[in-house]
Amino acid sequence: MHNVSLIDTNIDALIEAEKAKLEQLMQARDEQKKKQENLKKLNEEYFSNLRKYGISEYEYFNSKADSLEQWITSEPESNLYAALQKHFAKQAAKQEQQPEKVSTLPKPKLKAGSYRNPATNEVIEKIKRSPKKLEQWVEEYGFPTVRTWKI
């Protein structure tokens, strides 16, 4: 292997080649800047149209969910697909690690009295403790509903 001396090198040709590369980079930068400006305008128009037509962002994306899924999964090698897989795997792992939160508040209690189930017209009397049937109603219909059945 022999060393190339500067005397044998055409420096002007190297400079021209680097100028061409620089010109390409400057064009790429200008195109990138223009695209960023256009994306900003598009985003402003998007939100303006949502307001104009009275559509929430949630409603819009919900209506596009199927086509978005097809678009994302059409290229499973894409960065977007990989990023979404990583995100959802992380979220699933978090949920598996966290135990279900149990309320520390005391369970609401029905007041003593008679309760009539409007569906069956069955009447149950509560004195101190709730009878099993009344507890079943609370389980089935919910506390706030059963509470309104007091006679």
Side-chain angles (χ1 to χ4, degrees):
M1 178 179 198
H2 69 83
N3 292 334
V4 178
S5 74
L6 286 177
I7 295 173
D8 297 333
T9 306
N10 185 346
I11 293 185
D12 288 334
L14 290 174
I15 289 173
E16 289 305 315
E18 293 302 318
K19 281 183 179 178
K21 288 180 188 177
L22 181 60
E23 184 63 33
Q24 287 176 336
L25 285 172
M26 290 171 67
Q27 283 178 341
R29 180 193 63 195
D30 291 344
E31 287 176 17
Q32 181 186 42
K33 190 182 255 185
K34 189 173 183 176
K35 283 186 178 184
Q36 287 173 336
E37 289 170 2
N38 288 338
L39 283 171
K40 185 177 178 182
K41 287 178 188 175
L42 180 65
N43 195 47
E44 289 169 359
E45 289 174 13
Y46 163 75
F47 283 108
S48 174
N49 281 327
L50 287 181
R51 286 188 299 275
K52 178 180 175 182
Y53 295 110
I55 299 171
S56 72
E57 197 171 16
Y58 174 82
E59 290 168 326
Y60 176 76
F61 282 111
N62 197 33
S63 74
K64 294 290 184 188
D66 290 336
S67 57
L68 280 171
E69 181 182 1
Q70 287 175 351
W71 177 71
I72 291 168
T73 58
S74 68
E75 294 185 39
E77 306 300 319
S78 74
N79 291 339
L80 177 60
Y81 186 78
L84 287 171
Q85 278 186 316
K86 184 178 176 182
H87 168 76
F88 288 117
K90 196 184 292 185
Q91 293 303 314
K94 277 184 183 178
Q95 284 185 337
E96 288 174 6
Q97 291 174 353
Q98 293 177 350
E100 194 172 316
K101 293 182 179 178
V102 179
S103 174
T104 57
L105 297 173
K107 187 176 172 183
K109 295 183 178 168
L110 293 169
K111 294 182 179 179
S114 298
Y115 293 84
R116 181 188 318 262
N117 182 332
T120 62
N121 279 330
E122 186 177 356
V123 176
I124 293 181
E125 182 76 25
K126 178 187 187 256
I127 300 171
K128 287 188 178 183
R129 290 195 169 163
S130 297
K132 282 186 181 181
K133 188 70 172 179
L134 194 56
E135 290 296 328
Q136 288 173 349
W137 289 354
V138 170
E139 189 92 13
E140 185 176 346
Y141 301 103
F143 177 82
T145 302
V146 175
R147 182 179 57 200
T148 64
W149 296 349
K150 191 166 191 285
I151 303 173

